[in-house]
Amino acid sequence: VVVITGQLGTFQVSKNVRVISSNWTKEQPIRNFFKFIRVILPMLLTQKFTSIFSHMTEVQSALIAPITRLLRIRHYLWYAHAHRSKYLVWCHIWLTGIITSTPGSCPIGGSKVHPIGQAINNEDFAFTAKEKLKLTEFVHIGRFDPSKRVENIIEAIMQIRSLGGDQRLKLIGSPSTNSAEIEAQKLKAKYSFAVSEGWLQFIDSIPRSSVTAYLLDSDVFIHSYIGSLDKTLVEATMIGLPVVTINPEYISQFGSWSKAVPVTLVDEVKALLACAPKELTFELQRRGEYSVLSHSLLHWTDELSRILY
């Protein structure tokens, strides 16, 4: 196995793996092109490869796509992003295929696109059945960006509380851009009264290693993003938490609590709270098993191997 990367970091590899850097540098497109071609072209011309797997490198893949097609080398690109890159469009024309996590994670469709799941290590998110779910501690983990519709989540919990509920909410995550930071500060100021009342918490982003602990310390994962299937949704499901969301991809795969059309967060929370304990336990088990079958790391590697080889 030959790995070509833009920059070398600290790593350990098996004896059959060789790692080479093209020393890719930001804002040096011409120099990067020649450095990359100088590294990869001799290999393409002199070595026999079963296939090439490019991971989120649509620019580099686009540079060699016509060459790999001409040499009849099977070439697949992993792409999981909402942005319809011009390089992705070019790759779609020339490459053998594009591999992604879910249909909604790739802005291009068709027979050359292969969704194979989220690649979650289910050992890190082992299903943990709770004796009794209080359904009061709600958590959301994700970027504090407008696209995540955080205000929609807060308003939903406020509405449930106005009906006599004692639900509390932790919002975990930080803005990813300066403009998102400005919007986040406005939102925190608007709902500062809820923080003072003690039922709302804003927590900065946490390390990936801490996600499991926060999930296990919660009763419900709540989510309002309507784009592609966020990995945290599957992680929460895999660990055994009820997930409340209006995300179309999640609902199409796992189902909803209310069956309402169109679905709202308030409808979903109400239906969840009204769910009988035995029915809830059965449904969480079903969703957990499906998440492992469709989104575990083992499933991902099996599907990837089947496509590449």
Side-chain angles (χ1 to χ4, degrees):
V1 177
V2 179
V3 176
I4 298 176
T5 181
Q7 296 290 334
L8 289 177
T10 302
F11 60 92
Q12 290 183 329
V13 295
S14 303
K15 291 181 179 179
N16 67 323
V17 177
R18 183 158 56 108
V19 182
I20 303 170
S21 174
S22 68
N23 296 312
W24 194 276
T25 307
K26 287 184 178 181
E27 300 179 358
Q28 294 184 5
I30 303 301
R31 181 176 290 183
N32 286 334
F33 168 77
F34 284 108
K35 287 192 295 186
F36 179 65
I37 290 298
R38 188 169 63 244
V39 168
I40 197 169
L41 189 58
M43 295 184 185
L44 296 178
L45 295 176
T46 61
Q47 299 185 34
K48 184 175 177 60
F49 291 101
T50 304
S51 58
I52 294 174
F53 176 55
S54 304
H55 191 274
M56 292 301 289
T57 52
E58 71 274 16
V59 175
Q60 292 88 340
S61 296
L63 292 176
I64 62 170
I67 301 173
T68 55
R69 168 70 75 85
L70 182 65
L71 296 175
R72 297 185 178 182
I73 301 173
R74 298 166 72 226
H75 186 177
Y76 292 90
L77 168 68
W78 170 270
Y79 191 89
H81 199 285
H83 176 57
R84 188 184 175 91
S85 161
K86 61 184 178 182
Y87 301 106
L88 174 66
V89 175
W90 176 258
C91 286
H92 185 252
I93 296 170
W94 291 95
L95 299 189
T96 313
I98 295 170
I99 306 173
T100 189
S101 54
T102 66
S105 298
C106 183
I108 293 178
S111 60
K112 291 176 73 172
V113 179
H114 308 275
I116 63 171
Q118 291 280 18
I120 298 169
N121 188 344
N122 54 297
E123 292 183 0
D124 294 336
F125 297 92
F127 190 89
T128 306
K130 295 185 178 181
E131 290 185 11
K132 186 177 180 181
L133 277 167
K134 303 187 297 295
L135 304 181
T136 55
E137 300 294 335
F138 283 63
V139 67
H140 175 267
I141 303 174
R143 295 192 311 275
F144 201 155
D145 290 353
S147 65
K148 298 301 182 181
R149 294 158 49 93
V150 173
E151 185 168 14
N152 196 35
I153 296 173
I154 299 172
E155 288 290 331
I157 297 300
M158 279 183 62
Q159 191 167 336
I160 295 299
R161 287 179 59 84
S162 71
L163 299 174
D166 188 30
Q167 280 65 37
R168 293 177 291 277
L169 174 63
K170 287 188 181 77
L171 293 168
I172 302 172
S174 300
S176 62
T177 64
N178 290 335
S179 60
E181 173 70 35
I182 294 170
E183 293 302 314
Q185 292 303 324
K186 289 180 182 177
L187 211 59
K188 288 180 179 180
K190 181 177 179 179
Y191 293 99
S192 58
F193 72 91
V195 176
S196 300
E197 291 174 358
W199 61 266
L200 176 62
Q201 280 184 268
F202 293 102
I203 300 172
D204 290 338
S205 58
I206 57 175
R208 287 286 303 164
S209 57
S210 301
V211 170
T212 299
Y214 273 95
L215 291 176
L216 289 174
D217 196 41
S218 305
D219 300 323
V220 182
F221 189 91
I222 189 167
H223 173 275
S224 191
Y225 178 58
I226 55 176
S228 59
L229 181 66
D230 280 343
K231 182 175 282 191
T232 50
L233 284 171
V234 184
E235 291 169 344
T237 301
M238 198 174 281
I239 213 167
L241 279 189
V243 168
V244 169
T245 184
I246 56 174
N247 183 268
E249 276 207 307
Y250 184 89
I251 291 173
S252 69
Q253 290 192 41
F254 294 92
S256 65
W257 301 103
S258 66
K259 316 302 180 188
V261 180
V263 65
T264 70
L265 280 183
V266 173
D267 288 336
E268 287 294 282
V269 175
K270 285 181 178 178
L272 174 63
L273 296 178
C275 196
K278 285 186 178 180
E279 180 185 349
L280 177 58
T281 299
F282 175 82
E283 180 62 12
L284 293 179
Q285 185 74 42
R286 184 194 69 81
R287 292 186 181 193
E289 290 172 356
Y290 179 84
S291 67
V292 173
L293 286 173
S294 301
H295 294 285
S296 67
L297 182 59
L298 179 60
H299 169 80
W300 189 89
T301 51
D302 284 346
E303 287 296 296
L304 183 63
S305 298
R306 179 183 60 79
I307 293 169
L308 294 182
Y309 302 107

